[in-house]
Amino acid sequence: MNQSSLQVPAFSLILLIGVSGAGKSTFARRHFLPTEVISSDHCRALITDNENDQSATGDAFELLHWLAAKRLQRRRLTVIDATNVQADARQSLIDLGQQFNCPLVAIVLDMPEQVLNDRRKTRTDRSFADPVLHRQRRDLWLWTRYLEYEGFSTVYRLKSADEVDQIQVVRQS
Ligand code: CTP
Ligand code: MG
């Protein structure tokens, strides 16, 4: 499949999937309106003024789901910017999409370890320990192999920074 253009239905629920530093928020900023993107970090910040406050994760996801439901109800394309590496974390979003008869799209940013390590060294907005990244990488590897069976109608897996740079997102009306 030619992956230089990612075709997505104009009304769809798009899950970005990738470990911390994979480039989900950068990708979301580049290809979608700010209002189309619901970010778990932003939801955390709305509640606690601190997007890194992990104690607010439960409330943040409640808010994320609530917002997503309101948008899908109005048939607005919606992008979820969260790691989404575990099947459990995706299930309630898949349920939500199905509830609104909304096509589900997965965009997996599966970046090489070297790229992730390089980005981590230069990143100033967030720092996290090695074990966290290792766990997320293991989860990505273990739990994103069968996305089509989970209910996604379209799955894109981007495996290098170059590939991500060249991508255009095309909306199908
Ligand atoms: N980055 C980069 N080149 C890209 C994409 C990202 O240099 N093509 C850098 C960003 O500038 C940022 C870091 O990599 O400093 C992480 O990118 P970000 O989009 O924030 O990654 P996320 O996947 O959103 O990470 P998190 O889950 O921690 O929010
Ligand atoms: Mg991010």
Side-chain angles (χ1 to χ4, degrees), residues 18-27 29 41 81 83 109 119 122-126 128 161 164-165:
V19 303
S20 186
K24 301 177 297 295
S25 301
T26 305
F27 187 93
R29 266 194 301 277
D41 290 335
D81 175 6
T83 51
L109 301 179
R119 284 183 188 165
T122 54
R123 200 166 172 187
T124 51
D125 62 328
R126 178 163 301 162
F128 43 88
V164 172
D165 280 349

Side-chain angles (χ1 to χ4, degrees), residues 8 20 24 28 66 73 77 107 139 148 152 159 171 173:
V8 300
S20 186
K24 301 177 297 295
W66 188 85
Q73 203 168 25
L77 180 139
I107 301 179
D139 286 342
E148 286 89 350
F152 291 94
K159 297 200 67 121
R171 298 174 190 221
S173 51

Side-chain angles (χ1 to χ4, degrees), residues 54-65:
Q54 301 299 321
S55 75
T57 296
D59 285 340
F61 276 92
E62 229 175 274
L63 177 58
L64 181 148
H65 279 252

Side-chain angles (χ1 to χ4, degrees), residues 92-165:
S92 51
L93 290 164
I94 293 166
D95 292 345
L96 195 64
Q98 289 174 343
Q99 184 186 332
F100 291 101
N101 286 323
C102 176
L104 287 151
V105 178
I107 301 179
V108 186
L109 301 179
D110 186 1
M111 292 300 104
E113 193 161 12
Q114 186 65 50
V115 169
L116 296 170
N117 286 337
D118 290 349
R119 284 183 188 165
R120 194 155 56 138
K121 281 182 208 142
T122 54
R123 200 166 172 187
T124 51
D125 62 328
R126 178 163 301 162
S127 67
F128 43 88
D130 275 350
V132 175
L133 190 59
H134 281 139
R135 196 178 58 237
Q136 290 182 353
R137 278 181 63 75
R138 188 203 57 196
D139 286 342
L140 183 88
W141 182 76
L142 275 176
W143 299 116
T144 65
R145 287 185 278 180
Y146 308 109
L147 292 166
E148 286 89 350
Y149 297 100
E150 289 180 24
F152 291 94
S153 48
T154 312
V155 176
Y156 295 110
R157 188 178 288 269
L158 306 176
K159 297 200 67 121
S160 73
D162 281 350
E163 203 178 350
V164 172
D165 280 349

Side-chain angles (χ1 to χ4, degrees), residues 34-53:
T35 46
E36 290 175 326
V37 180
I38 309 179
S39 137
S40 55
D41 290 335
H42 184 59
C43 288
R44 255 189 221 101
L46 286 172
I47 294 166
T48 66
D49 301 318
N50 174 5
E51 65 173 36
N52 293 315
D53 185 344

